[in-house]
PDB file of all heavy atoms in Angstrom:
ATOM      1  N   HIS X   1       0.870  -1.182   0.000  1.00 98.00           N
ATOM      2  CA  HIS X   1       0.000   0.000   0.000  1.00 98.00           C
ATOM      3  C   HIS X   1       0.909   1.236   0.000  1.00 98.00           C
ATOM      4  O   HIS X   1       1.271   1.765   1.047  1.00 98.00           O
ATOM      5  CB  HIS X   1      -0.902  -0.016   1.230  1.00 98.00           C
ATOM      6  CG  HIS X   1      -1.878   1.115   1.266  1.00 98.00           C
ATOM      7  ND1 HIS X   1      -2.804   1.342   0.276  1.00 98.00           N
ATOM      8  CD2 HIS X   1      -2.072   2.098   2.184  1.00 98.00           C
ATOM      9  CE1 HIS X   1      -3.521   2.397   0.575  1.00 98.00           C
ATOM     10  NE2 HIS X   1      -3.097   2.880   1.715  1.00 98.00           N
ATOM     11  N   TYR X   2       1.266   1.672  -1.185  1.00 98.00           N
ATOM     12  CA  TYR X   2       2.247   2.749  -1.309  1.00 98.00           C
ATOM     13  C   TYR X   2       1.803   4.090  -0.734  1.00 98.00           C
ATOM     14  O   TYR X   2       2.657   4.861  -0.277  1.00 98.00           O
ATOM     15  CB  TYR X   2       2.684   2.902  -2.764  1.00 98.00           C
ATOM     16  CG  TYR X   2       3.861   2.020  -3.090  1.00 98.00           C
ATOM     17  CD1 TYR X   2       3.700   0.863  -3.842  1.00 98.00           C
ATOM     18  CD2 TYR X   2       5.136   2.319  -2.623  1.00 98.00           C
ATOM     19  CE1 TYR X   2       4.777   0.040  -4.133  1.00 98.00           C
ATOM     20  CE2 TYR X   2       6.217   1.513  -2.910  1.00 98.00           C
ATOM     21  CZ  TYR X   2       6.033   0.370  -3.662  1.00 98.00           C
ATOM     22  OH  TYR X   2       7.104  -0.441  -3.935  1.00 98.00           O
ATOM     23  N   PRO X   3       0.528   4.444  -0.748  1.00 97.00           N
ATOM     24  CA  PRO X   3       0.167   5.719  -0.120  1.00 97.00           C
ATOM     25  C   PRO X   3       0.660   5.821   1.322  1.00 97.00           C
ATOM     26  O   PRO X   3       1.140   6.877   1.745  1.00 97.00           O
ATOM     27  CB  PRO X   3      -1.361   5.722  -0.214  1.00 97.00           C
ATOM     28  CG  PRO X   3      -1.650   4.935  -1.447  1.00 97.00           C
ATOM     29  CD  PRO X   3      -0.631   3.844  -1.452  1.00 97.00           C
ATOM     30  N   ALA X   4       0.571   4.740   2.089  1.00 98.00           N
ATOM     31  CA  ALA X   4       1.035   4.775   3.475  1.00 98.00           C
ATOM     32  C   ALA X   4       2.553   4.893   3.547  1.00 98.00           C
ATOM     33  O   ALA X   4       3.097   5.636   4.372  1.00 98.00           O
ATOM     34  CB  ALA X   4       0.573   3.519   4.214  1.00 98.00           C
ATOM     35  N   VAL X   5       3.253   4.173   2.683  1.00 98.00           N
ATOM     36  CA  VAL X   5       4.717   4.214   2.685  1.00 98.00           C
ATOM     37  C   VAL X   5       5.210   5.607   2.303  1.00 98.00           C
ATOM     38  O   VAL X   5       6.084   6.187   2.970  1.00 98.00           O
ATOM     39  CB  VAL X   5       5.283   3.158   1.714  1.00 98.00           C
ATOM     40  CG1 VAL X   5       6.803   3.283   1.620  1.00 98.00           C
ATOM     41  CG2 VAL X   5       4.907   1.754   2.160  1.00 98.00           C
ATOM     42  N   LEU X   6       4.643   6.178   1.250  1.00 98.00           N
ATOM     43  CA  LEU X   6       5.094   7.490   0.795  1.00 98.00           C
ATOM     44  C   LEU X   6       4.670   8.601   1.752  1.00 98.00           C
ATOM     45  O   LEU X   6       5.386   9.598   1.909  1.00 98.00           O
ATOM     46  CB  LEU X   6       4.574   7.756  -0.616  1.00 98.00           C
ATOM     47  CG  LEU X   6       5.112   6.814  -1.699  1.00 98.00           C
ATOM     48  CD1 LEU X   6       4.515   7.151  -3.056  1.00 98.00           C
ATOM     49  CD2 LEU X   6       6.641   6.856  -1.761  1.00 98.00           C
ATOM     50  N   GLU X   7       3.532   8.422   2.389  1.00 97.00           N
ATOM     51  CA  GLU X   7       3.114   9.397   3.396  1.00 97.00           C
ATOM     52  C   GLU X   7       4.111   9.427   4.555  1.00 97.00           C
ATOM     53  O   GLU X   7       4.478  10.502   5.042  1.00 97.00           O
ATOM     54  CB  GLU X   7       1.719   9.045   3.910  1.00 97.00           C
ATOM     55  CG  GLU X   7       1.198  10.006   4.987  1.00 97.00           C
ATOM     56  CD  GLU X   7      -0.175   9.612   5.503  1.00 97.00           C
ATOM     57  OE1 GLU X   7      -0.810   8.725   4.902  1.00 97.00           O
ATOM     58  OE2 GLU X   7      -0.604  10.192   6.515  1.00 97.00           O
ATOM     59  N   ARG X   8       4.561   8.244   4.983  1.00 98.00           N
ATOM     60  CA  ARG X   8       5.534   8.197   6.073  1.00 98.00           C
ATOM     61  C   ARG X   8       6.874   8.759   5.628  1.00 98.00           C
ATOM     62  O   ARG X   8       7.552   9.466   6.387  1.00 98.00           O
ATOM     63  CB  ARG X   8       5.701   6.758   6.573  1.00 98.00           C
ATOM     64  CG  ARG X   8       6.613   6.645   7.791  1.00 98.00           C
ATOM     65  CD  ARG X   8       6.033   7.424   8.947  1.00 98.00           C
ATOM     66  NE  ARG X   8       6.919   7.437  10.102  1.00 98.00           N
ATOM     67  CZ  ARG X   8       7.120   8.492  10.877  1.00 98.00           C
ATOM     68  NH1 ARG X   8       6.483   9.642  10.616  1.00 98.00           N
ATOM     69  NH2 ARG X   8       7.922   8.421  11.912  1.00 98.00           N
ATOM     70  N   LEU X   9       7.273   8.463   4.410  1.00 98.00           N
ATOM     71  CA  LEU X   9       8.519   8.993   3.867  1.00 98.00           C
ATOM     72  C   LEU X   9       8.504  10.516   3.874  1.00 98.00           C
ATOM     73  O   LEU X   9       9.475  11.168   4.290  1.00 98.00           O
ATOM     74  CB  LEU X   9       8.723   8.473   2.440  1.00 98.00           C
ATOM     75  CG  LEU X   9       9.983   8.921   1.706  1.00 98.00           C
ATOM     76  CD1 LEU X   9      11.225   8.360   2.372  1.00 98.00           C
ATOM     77  CD2 LEU X   9       9.923   8.483   0.239  1.00 98.00           C
ATOM     78  N   GLU X  10       7.390  11.086   3.441  1.00 97.00           N
ATOM     79  CA  GLU X  10       7.260  12.543   3.416  1.00 97.00           C
ATOM     80  C   GLU X  10       7.253  13.111   4.827  1.00 97.00           C
ATOM     81  O   GLU X  10       7.878  14.145   5.103  1.00 97.00           O
ATOM     82  CB  GLU X  10       5.991  12.937   2.670  1.00 97.00           C
ATOM     83  CG  GLU X  10       5.883  14.411   2.358  1.00 97.00           C
ATOM     84  CD  GLU X  10       4.777  14.703   1.369  1.00 97.00           C
ATOM     85  OE1 GLU X  10       3.887  13.849   1.169  1.00 97.00           O
ATOM     86  OE2 GLU X  10       4.795  15.804   0.789  1.00 97.00           O
ATOM     87  N   ALA X  11       6.578  12.434   5.752  1.00 98.00           N
ATOM     88  CA  ALA X  11       6.517  12.902   7.137  1.00 98.00           C
ATOM     89  C   ALA X  11       7.890  12.889   7.799  1.00 98.00           C
ATOM     90  O   ALA X  11       8.184  13.715   8.668  1.00 98.00           O
ATOM     91  CB  ALA X  11       5.545  12.041   7.937  1.00 98.00           C
ATOM     92  N   LEU X  12       8.746  11.965   7.387  1.00 98.00           N
ATOM     93  CA  LEU X  12      10.107  11.899   7.925  1.00 98.00           C
ATOM     94  C   LEU X  12      10.989  13.040   7.426  1.00 98.00           C
ATOM     95  O   LEU X  12      12.070  13.270   7.953  1.00 98.00           O
ATOM     96  CB  LEU X  12      10.741  10.559   7.571  1.00 98.00           C
ATOM     97  CG  LEU X  12      10.203   9.339   8.320  1.00 98.00           C
ATOM     98  CD1 LEU X  12      10.692   8.047   7.670  1.00 98.00           C
ATOM     99  CD2 LEU X  12      10.619   9.389   9.788  1.00 98.00           C
ATOM    100  N   GLY X  13      10.506  13.749   6.401  1.00 97.00           N
ATOM    101  CA  GLY X  13      11.256  14.887   5.877  1.00 97.00           C
ATOM    102  C   GLY X  13      12.119  14.574   4.683  1.00 97.00           C
ATOM    103  O   GLY X  13      13.061  15.316   4.386  1.00 97.00           O
ATOM    104  N   TYR X  14      11.792  13.503   3.956  1.00 97.00           N
ATOM    105  CA  TYR X  14      12.591  13.138   2.790  1.00 97.00           C
ATOM    106  C   TYR X  14      12.490  14.217   1.718  1.00 97.00           C
ATOM    107  O   TYR X  14      11.392  14.611   1.319  1.00 97.00           O
ATOM    108  CB  TYR X  14      12.108  11.808   2.222  1.00 97.00           C
ATOM    109  CG  TYR X  14      12.902  11.308   1.040  1.00 97.00           C
ATOM    110  CD1 TYR X  14      14.211  10.878   1.189  1.00 97.00           C
ATOM    111  CD2 TYR X  14      12.328  11.260  -0.236  1.00 97.00           C
ATOM    112  CE1 TYR X  14      14.933  10.408   0.106  1.00 97.00           C
ATOM    113  CE2 TYR X  14      13.039  10.784  -1.322  1.00 97.00           C
ATOM    114  CZ  TYR X  14      14.349  10.361  -1.148  1.00 97.00           C
ATOM    115  OH  TYR X  14      15.062   9.898  -2.226  1.00 97.00           O
ATOM    116  N   GLY X  15      13.634  14.678   1.251  1.00 95.00           N
ATOM    117  CA  GLY X  15      13.655  15.737   0.254  1.00 95.00           C
ATOM    118  C   GLY X  15      14.206  15.309  -1.082  1.00 95.00           C
ATOM    119  O   GLY X  15      14.404  16.148  -1.966  1.00 95.00           O
ATOM    120  N   GLY X  16      14.485  14.015  -1.238  1.00 96.00           N
ATOM    121  CA  GLY X  16      15.055  13.520  -2.480  1.00 96.00           C
ATOM    122  C   GLY X  16      14.001  13.113  -3.493  1.00 96.00           C
ATOM    123  O   GLY X  16      12.838  13.504  -3.413  1.00 96.00           O
ATOM    124  N   TRP X  17      14.436  12.315  -4.460  1.00 98.00           N
ATOM    125  CA  TRP X  17      13.555  11.825  -5.509  1.00 98.00           C
ATOM    126  C   TRP X  17      13.105  10.407  -5.191  1.00 98.00           C
ATOM    127  O   TRP X  17      13.786   9.670  -4.480  1.00 98.00           O
ATOM    128  CB  TRP X  17      14.279  11.825  -6.856  1.00 98.00           C
ATOM    129  CG  TRP X  17      14.633  13.188  -7.360  1.00 98.00           C
ATOM    130  CD1 TRP X  17      15.742  13.921  -7.035  1.00 98.00           C
ATOM    131  CD2 TRP X  17      13.874  13.993  -8.271  1.00 98.00           C
ATOM    132  NE1 TRP X  17      15.725  15.124  -7.699  1.00 98.00           N
ATOM    133  CE2 TRP X  17      14.595  15.193  -8.470  1.00 98.00           C
ATOM    134  CE3 TRP X  17      12.670  13.794  -8.947  1.00 98.00           C
ATOM    135  CZ2 TRP X  17      14.131  16.203  -9.304  1.00 98.00           C
ATOM    136  CZ3 TRP X  17      12.210  14.804  -9.790  1.00 98.00           C
ATOM    137  CH2 TRP X  17      12.935  15.992  -9.962  1.00 98.00           C
ATOM    138  N   VAL X  18      11.979  10.020  -5.763  1.00 98.00           N
ATOM    139  CA  VAL X  18      11.482   8.651  -5.684  1.00 98.00           C
ATOM    140  C   VAL X  18      11.505   8.090  -7.103  1.00 98.00           C
ATOM    141  O   VAL X  18      10.755   8.539  -7.976  1.00 98.00           O
ATOM    142  CB  VAL X  18      10.064   8.585  -5.093  1.00 98.00           C
ATOM    143  CG1 VAL X  18       9.514   7.169  -5.176  1.00 98.00           C
ATOM    144  CG2 VAL X  18      10.072   9.075  -3.647  1.00 98.00           C
ATOM    145  N   GLY X  19      12.395   7.136  -7.326  1.00 98.00           N
ATOM    146  CA  GLY X  19      12.544   6.559  -8.649  1.00 98.00           C
ATOM    147  C   GLY X  19      11.484   5.514  -8.949  1.00 98.00           C
ATOM    148  O   GLY X  19      11.250   4.611  -8.144  1.00 98.00           O
ATOM    149  N   CYS X  20      10.837   5.632 -10.096  1.00 98.00           N
ATOM    150  CA  CYS X  20       9.796   4.689 -10.507  1.00 98.00           C
ATOM    151  C   CYS X  20      10.472   3.574 -11.317  1.00 98.00           C
ATOM    152  O   CYS X  20      10.440   3.567 -12.557  1.00 98.00           O
ATOM    153  CB  CYS X  20       8.734   5.404 -11.329  1.00 98.00           C
ATOM    154  SG  CYS X  20       7.944   6.759 -10.430  1.00 98.00           S
ATOM    155  N   GLU X  21      11.068   2.640 -10.603  1.00 98.00           N
ATOM    156  CA  GLU X  21      11.819   1.565 -11.252  1.00 98.00           C
ATOM    157  C   GLU X  21      10.921   0.336 -11.402  1.00 98.00           C
ATOM    158  O   GLU X  21      11.085  -0.675 -10.727  1.00 98.00           O
ATOM    159  CB  GLU X  21      13.083   1.226 -10.457  1.00 98.00           C
ATOM    160  CG  GLU X  21      14.049   0.365 -11.255  1.00 98.00           C
ATOM    161  CD  GLU X  21      15.294  -0.023 -10.484  1.00 98.00           C
ATOM    162  OE1 GLU X  21      15.202  -0.261  -9.265  1.00 98.00           O
ATOM    163  OE2 GLU X  21      16.366  -0.089 -11.110  1.00 98.00           O
ATOM    164  N   TYR X  22       9.948   0.462 -12.297  1.00 98.00           N
ATOM    165  CA  TYR X  22       9.021  -0.639 -12.514  1.00 98.00           C
ATOM    166  C   TYR X  22       8.823  -0.882 -14.007  1.00 98.00           C
ATOM    167  O   TYR X  22       9.089  -0.019 -14.840  1.00 98.00           O
ATOM    168  CB  TYR X  22       7.680  -0.371 -11.830  1.00 98.00           C
ATOM    169  CG  TYR X  22       6.864   0.782 -12.378  1.00 98.00           C
ATOM    170  CD1 TYR X  22       6.060   0.626 -13.503  1.00 98.00           C
ATOM    171  CD2 TYR X  22       6.865   2.030 -11.748  1.00 98.00           C
ATOM    172  CE1 TYR X  22       5.296   1.672 -14.006  1.00 98.00           C
ATOM    173  CE2 TYR X  22       6.103   3.083 -12.228  1.00 98.00           C
ATOM    174  CZ  TYR X  22       5.316   2.893 -13.355  1.00 98.00           C
ATOM    175  OH  TYR X  22       4.566   3.940 -13.845  1.00 98.00           O
ATOM    176  N   ARG X  23       8.366  -2.097 -14.316  1.00 98.00           N
ATOM    177  CA  ARG X  23       8.044  -2.469 -15.687  1.00 98.00           C
ATOM    178  C   ARG X  23       6.550  -2.269 -15.909  1.00 98.00           C
ATOM    179  O   ARG X  23       5.738  -2.986 -15.302  1.00 98.00           O
ATOM    180  CB  ARG X  23       8.414  -3.930 -15.949  1.00 98.00           C
ATOM    181  CG  ARG X  23       9.900  -4.224 -15.929  1.00 98.00           C
ATOM    182  CD  ARG X  23      10.167  -5.682 -16.306  1.00 98.00           C
ATOM    183  NE  ARG X  23       9.695  -6.580 -15.258  1.00 98.00           N
ATOM    184  CZ  ARG X  23      10.462  -7.026 -14.258  1.00 98.00           C
ATOM    185  NH1 ARG X  23      11.731  -6.641 -14.174  1.00 98.00           N
ATOM    186  NH2 ARG X  23       9.961  -7.844 -13.348  1.00 98.00           N
ATOM    187  N   PRO X  24       6.152  -1.316 -16.720  1.00 98.00           N
ATOM    188  CA  PRO X  24       4.719  -1.114 -16.952  1.00 98.00           C
ATOM    189  C   PRO X  24       4.040  -2.394 -17.420  1.00 98.00           C
ATOM    190  O   PRO X  24       4.596  -3.157 -18.218  1.00 98.00           O
ATOM    191  CB  PRO X  24       4.687  -0.033 -18.040  1.00 98.00           C
ATOM    192  CG  PRO X  24       5.983   0.718 -17.847  1.00 98.00           C
ATOM    193  CD  PRO X  24       6.976  -0.328 -17.456  1.00 98.00           C
TER     194      PRO X  24
END
């Protein structure tokens, strides 16, 4: 459930990029 993971990442103060390393 990526919304929860990314929400926590943002709350921690992450200021970098999130790479979309997936095969469509």
Side-chain angles (χ1 to χ4, degrees):
H1 183 59
Y2 271 105
V5 175
L6 296 179
E7 179 181 349
R8 185 61 185 140
L9 180 66
E10 191 167 18
L12 288 168
Y14 182 69
W17 294 84
V18 173
C20 301
E21 194 182 36
Y22 66 82
R23 293 184 291 267

